[in-house]
């Protein structure tokens, strides 16, 4: 029984995530952000983190403000809309925030940050396979996209990461950054019941970041995931798998890796938000 216990736990976690995709994660791709690197080498992790850390911060800010004290949006990004009620867009537990990236006084990008599990409504989705939040995320994306003249990106962690993946499976997005994502998405919800074809070659449009050893890792290994660039970061040591599944700490780790890679934008953000950085990741590994 002792040998079966880890497998049974992994199968339980997989069973509660409702995975429903037909694609495997791209774990061995070359690194588009650092052409001389392969995925998950130190140089690639740092380059990929520089591309995704701002969206990691916004995924953390999808929760109530008091959940992420001292954490500010990246420079030039402002909150434009939020839905933090018990039932947003008719879906139990579903919540999100919309941010705008502003350049020269104009909205250059819309970013939807889907909140992860944070209440009873979310657990009913997790445990009983309800698709209400997935449908709500697709409806939110279409409404925010509008006429399509402004690019829309999506982000989120855990259940929120799954919702971001759901949107990117069904509709073209400018960028999708999923963090510690649960494999809970359904191609049947896409127009015509068909998911978008996987990218022809490695690109940086569909990104997945996770902390090594966090609790949902087995579900992504055992399950099926959309074709995406999956980057594992290592900043948290001596913790259990649940405490490693923390979007604020993962976002801080992404900032740390981006600074290591020489990103001046990440360095400026870290220095301006040092209290938050030290709060969430006081002693990063590496």
């Amino acid at each position: 029984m002792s040998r079966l216990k880890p497998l049974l736990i992994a199968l339980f976690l997989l069973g509660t995530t409702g995975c429903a995709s037909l694609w495997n994660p791209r774990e061995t791709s070359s690194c588009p952000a650092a052409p001389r690197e392969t995925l998950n080498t130190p140089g690639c992790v740092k380059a990929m983190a520089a591309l995704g850390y701002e969206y990691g911060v916004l995924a953390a800010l999808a929760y109530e403000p008091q959940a992420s004290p001292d954490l500010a949006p990246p420079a030039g990004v402002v909150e434009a809309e939020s839905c933090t009620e018990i039932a947003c867009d008719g879906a139990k537990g579903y919540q999100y925030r919309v941010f705008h990236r502003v350049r020269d006084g104009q909205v250059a990008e819309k970013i939807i940050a889907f909140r992860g599990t944070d209440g009873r409504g979310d657990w009913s989705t997790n445990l009983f396979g309800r698709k209400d939040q997935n449908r709500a995320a697709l409806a939110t994306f279409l409404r925010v996209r509008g006429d399509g003249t402004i690019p829309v990106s999506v982000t989120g962690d855990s259940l929120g990461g799954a919702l971001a993946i759901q949107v990117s499976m069904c509709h073209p997005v400018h960028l999708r950054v999923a963090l510690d994502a649960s494999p809970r998405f359904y191609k049947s919800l896409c127009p015509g019941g068909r998911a978008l074809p996987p990218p022809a070659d490695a690109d940086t449009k569909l990104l997945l970041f996770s902390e090594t050893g966090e609790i949902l890792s087995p579900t992504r290994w055992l399950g099926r995931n959309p074709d995406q660039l999956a980057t594992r970061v290592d900043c948290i040591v001596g913790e259990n798998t649940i405490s490693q599944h923390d979007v604020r700490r993962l976002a801080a780790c992404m900032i740390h890796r981006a600074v290591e890679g020489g990103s001046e934008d990440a360095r400026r953000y870290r220095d301006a938000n040092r209290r938050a950085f030290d709060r969430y990741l006081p002693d990063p590994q590496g």
Side-chain angles (χ1 to χ4, degrees):
M1 181 65 182
S2 60
R3 293 182 179 179
L4 289 176
K5 188 175 181 180
L7 178 59
L8 292 175
I9 292 173
L11 289 174
F12 171 77
L13 290 170
L14 179 61
T16 62
T17 56
C19 58
S21 174
L22 296 179
W23 304 332
N24 286 315
R26 180 186 288 149
E27 292 279 1
T28 57
S29 172
S30 60
C31 183
R36 295 185 180 181
E37 300 276 347
T38 56
L39 202 62
N40 287 315
T41 57
C44 184
V45 170
K46 295 169 187 176
M48 298 294 280
L51 293 175
Y53 78 88
E54 291 188 336
Y55 300 89
V57 170
L58 297 179
L61 291 174
Y63 294 81
E64 293 292 345
Q66 58 266 31
S68 303
D70 306 320
L71 197 61
V77 176
V78 298
E79 183 174 328
E81 175 189 340
S82 66
C83 187
T84 57
E85 302 298 326
I86 294 176
C88 298
D89 291 354
K92 188 175 183 180
Y94 172 68
Q95 298 184 26
Y96 63 90
R97 294 180 188 273
V98 179
F99 298 89
H100 286 174
R101 190 184 303 277
V102 179
R103 297 193 182 102
D104 300 324
Q106 301 294 320
V107 178
E109 178 188 11
K110 300 176 182 178
I111 305 162
I112 307 172
F114 299 106
R115 194 201 63 178
T117 300
D118 193 31
R120 291 182 180 179
D122 299 318
W123 280 113
S124 69
T125 295
N126 288 335
L127 295 174
F128 302 112
R130 297 175 64 88
K131 301 178 183 179
D132 296 351
Q133 291 205 24
N134 299 68
R135 293 188 179 95
L138 292 168
T140 298
F141 172 80
L142 292 175
R143 178 179 57 77
V144 171
R145 185 184 67 177
D147 62 8
T149 56
I150 299 173
V152 180
S153 299
V154 291
T155 187
D157 83 292
S158 194
L159 174 60
L163 299 180
I165 291 174
Q166 178 73 69
V167 169
S168 68
M169 284 178 63
C170 299
H171 300 285
V173 298
H174 177 64
L175 184 68
R176 189 220 68 211
V177 178
L179 292 84
D180 287 340
S182 166
R184 169 176 289 284
F185 27 80
Y186 308 88
K187 68 172 185 174
S188 62
L189 297 182
C190 298
R194 301 174 65 89
L196 295 176
D201 49 30
D203 59 35
T204 56
K205 179 175 285 187
L206 306 179
L207 305 179
L208 170 68
F209 290 90
S210 61
E211 175 65 34
T212 300
E214 57 86 26
I215 193 169
L216 290 184
S217 295
T219 69
R220 290 190 296 274
W221 177 67
L222 290 171
R224 299 278 183 167
N225 289 271
D227 207 358
Q228 58 193 338
L229 292 169
T231 302
R232 296 183 296 274
V233 296
D234 294 291
C235 286
I236 304 173
V237 294
E239 300 281 353
N240 60 54
T241 59
I242 296 176
S243 61
Q244 286 177 307
H245 186 77
D246 186 325
V247 62
R248 291 161 288 271
R249 297 173 75 179
L250 179 53
C253 181
M254 293 165 66
I255 297 165
H256 176 74
R257 293 293 179 234
V259 172
E260 283 186 335
S263 170
E264 288 303 316
D265 287 341
R267 186 181 301 278
R268 282 190 290 269
Y269 180 83
R270 184 201 61 184
D271 292 346
N273 296 270
R274 195 77 207 210
R275 287 179 59 192
F277 189 84
D278 291 342
R279 177 189 183 95
Y280 297 124
L281 200 66
D283 187 22
Q285 179 185 16

